[in-house]
Amino acid sequence: MTATVQTTRPALDPAALDTLFRTARSHNGWTDQPVSDAEIRALYDLVKFGPTSANTQPARFVFVRSEAAKARLAPALPEGNRKALAAPVIALIGYDTKFYDRIPEVFPHNPGFRDLFVNKPEMVEPHAFRNSSLQGAYLILAARALGLDVGPMSGFDQATVDAEFFPGGTVKTNFIAAVGHGDHSKVMERLPRLAFADAAAIV
Amino acid sequence: MTATVQTTRPALDPAALDTLFRTARSHNGWTDQPVSDAEIRALYDLVKFGPTSANTQPARFVFVRSEAAKARLAPALPEGNRKALAAPVIALIGYDTKFYDRIPEVFPHNPGFRDLFVNKPEMVEPHAFRNSSLQGAYLILAARALGLDVGPMSGFDQATVDAEFFPGGTVKTNFIAAVGHGDHSKVMERLPRLAFADAAAIV
């Protein structure tokens, strides 16, 4: 046993754990309280610090807020998910399949890491999909941390959203999330969670 | 403008945002402070509440803590990632490709949703990969929320980890994450993050 540096970082207080996880809920209805540019930028300024493999940050975000943009999104949503359009903002979480072109900038001590993806194109999709999903989860929890509510969903017409909102052709939409201030009267009953023994083991 | 129910949930305090995002770092070195069964269970009891599509919770977690289990994991790690074995726990985040068999239990108001995946097997992998990635991100942030440090990584031999730790044959490993109390003297320099304009837009 050697002497060790002890961490001094404390756990969050119980109320914060509630806000992030325990009493937080996915939302289906929204108040008319808006979400400002400053709030969206504050949200990104948390999300960007979440870890990604080799710091590649493949996620690309479009925050759909204007009525005109919502009208372009509407045809891509199935009837059951159009409730999202009542939210002040719908965040589109996509991933850039050319994320590796930014590696010299975001991973400057090893710019040649880019070649790994150029030479093994089959690695691109899993890397971008996994890490943009992580970043999407950071967005969900960062929004809650800022006092916002979220309603994530994956049922939509991906090709339409890609073409309308990521017209460069290299970004694919991963999932979308309504963001705003939830109408707590419209939250559904909490669904069952798997018990530890059904989902986890200590070996 | 109609009257609306205002949310009363406050934002987290700045120190909590630091702990989760702003000053949190991926760790490479570890103190010898252990991680208890109670801490692992507390971690799962936060992670389980993070949202997944149709509440399917496809992630399966193995917490590798014993020396015997670490010895089984070692051959699956490339030299550069064996540093993870010095952590008190290495969390393996996998996804069950038969997650849909739990739908009648976790999505009880629509048990027939299971058939969607049975009838469209091409939907299984993206659903399980996306949502287990979300759950892996919840684990990273939940660990930080509990005062733990994390070192996530995706460089390992997936087939070996699958066979050693998920022997039922239906679970694939997504990524792994060392968990413990980080040695802050071994943290690397913070890498650059993409500017808002490079990764996001408001429309």
Side-chain angles (χ1 to χ4, degrees), chain B residues 126-137:
Chain B
H127 181 102
F129 190 51
R130 173 187 297 114
N131 286 283
S132 67
S133 298
L134 298 183
Q135 292 181 278

Side-chain angles (χ1 to χ4, degrees), chain A residues 5-6 9 31 33 48 149, chain B residues 5-6 9 31 33 149:
Chain A
V5 182
Q6 297 297 315
R9 199 152 47 71
T31 75
Q33 191 178 346
K48 71 180 182 186
D149 294 303
Chain B
V5 181
Q6 297 297 315
R9 198 153 48 73
T31 75
Q33 190 177 344
D149 294 303

Side-chain angles (χ1 to χ4, degrees), chain A residues 74-111:
Chain A
L77 301 183
E79 196 62 34
N81 282 344
R82 294 214 177 143
K83 61 191 177 190
L85 297 171
V89 171
I90 303 100
L92 314 178
I93 298 103
Y95 55 95
D96 191 343
T97 58
K98 288 284 182 73
F99 69 86
Y100 49 79
D101 283 338
R102 307 301 294 259
I103 285 177
E105 177 187 344
V106 295
F107 206 57
H109 56 292
N110 187 4

